Amino acid sequence: MISKKNFLQVMEIIAEMFPEAKGELNWETPFQLLIAVILSAQTTDKGVNKATPALFAQYPDAQSLAVAKVEEVETYIKTIGLYRTKAKNIVKTAQMIVKVFDGEIPQDKKTLQTLAGVGRKTANVVLGEAFGVPGIAVDTHVERVSKRLDLVLQKATVTEVEEKLMKVLPENEWIADHHRLIFFGRYHCLARAPKCEICPVLQYCKFGKGKINDPS
């Protein structure tokens, strides 16, 4: 397993690679961010960004989305994967925000996860991006990079990855490091074609060394 010291050195290198790393979803209010993140599950941010301008123009807040018909919402997000389920979830979420939380987005991780379509990752993203609450959202990129660097076991759950990252990384860097790990996984340490041969953190990477030594 990689040591804390070496992992922090890796993060310094990744920070130099992606100094401007940030969330790539487009939004103007915490509510819009919440909806965008729900829609982004198993879908690219680019795909979500193509659909949300028209969606948010029609339903800019929880009050308007809460009274929308699911079938009508579907027409705005039909280019997004699992759009029928997501349409039901975002309408239910809007209704709950209006009825239970007086139109305000809960700023507590556990409470946020009571909303339809909201899991740990979504809650962490919304709290971090909209409210500056420290957290690490573990998506497919963060999980892949953490396992390739041997920070956690390959069989580690998403929650175990999150907990390990929170132990190793300084809390005041959680939000920034979350974005840096996403960018590193999305644009460099790709799932199918990782750029191991030109990777500046290769010396720390068990996966990368193995791939270089055995390219087959």
Side-chain angles (χ1 to χ4, degrees):
M1 306 294 285
I2 190 172
S3 67
K4 177 179 179 178
K5 177 182 178 182
N6 284 348
F7 190 76
L8 291 176
Q9 290 177 335
V10 167
M11 290 308 302
E12 288 181 5
I13 295 171
I14 292 176
E16 292 175 357
M17 293 174 68
F18 302 103
E20 304 299 323
K22 61 181 181 179
E24 295 185 297
L25 290 171
N26 297 330
W27 56 281
E28 294 182 358
T29 66
F31 173 74
Q32 290 183 0
L33 173 63
L34 172 62
I35 297 304
V37 179
I38 292 173
L39 295 178
S40 71
Q42 300 182 49
T43 305
T44 66
D45 288 355
K46 289 183 179 180
V48 174
N49 288 338
K50 289 180 180 179
T52 50
L55 178 71
F56 292 154
Q58 184 66 26
Y59 311 110
D61 49 35
Q63 289 76 12
S64 57
L65 186 57
V67 296
K69 292 182 179 180
V70 172
E71 295 77 12
E72 293 178 354
V73 174
E74 288 178 358
T75 64
Y76 290 93
I77 63 171
K78 60 185 178 182
T79 57
I80 295 177
L82 305 174
Y83 73 94
R84 288 192 174 90
T85 298
K86 291 176 180 178
K88 293 177 183 177
N89 283 341
I90 63 175
V91 170
K92 287 181 181 178
T93 284
Q95 292 171 344
M96 194 168 181
I97 289 172
V98 171
K99 295 177 181 178
V100 181
F101 301 111
D102 298 321
E104 299 295 327
I105 305 296
Q107 296 185 35
D108 170 79
K109 186 187 298 186
K110 191 170 290 187
T111 306
L112 260 179
Q113 291 180 74
T114 65
L115 300 174
V118 178
R120 291 176 67 91
K121 184 193 78 171
T122 296
N124 278 326
V125 171
V126 173
L127 291 174
E129 288 290 284
F131 305 110
V133 178
I136 298 175
V138 179
D139 70 350
T140 181
H141 303 297
V142 175
E143 180 180 8
R144 180 174 67 254
V145 171
S146 297
K147 290 182 176 180
R148 284 181 173 176
L149 286 168
D150 209 25
L151 178 70
V152 295
L153 297 175
Q154 291 300 309
K155 63 181 181 180
T157 65
V158 171
T159 301
E160 288 171 339
V161 175
E162 178 185 339
E163 291 173 346
K164 186 60 180 284
L165 286 168
M166 290 169 68
K167 287 181 181 179
V168 173
L169 299 173
E171 186 173 347
N172 64 337
E173 292 292 325
W174 285 355
I175 297 174
D177 280 341
H178 145 251
H179 288 306
R180 291 162 183 159
L181 285 168
I182 289 176
F183 268 50
F184 184 70
R186 181 177 289 165
Y187 300 114
H188 186 83
C189 190
L190 290 77
R192 296 185 180 180
K195 303 175 183 179
C196 300
E197 64 280 356
I198 60 169
C199 185
V201 304
L202 180 63
Q203 62 177 311
Y204 303 102
C205 184
K206 180 180 179 181
F207 171 87
K209 289 178 180 177
K211 190 171 180 61
I212 291 295
N213 293 331
D214 183 16
S216 60

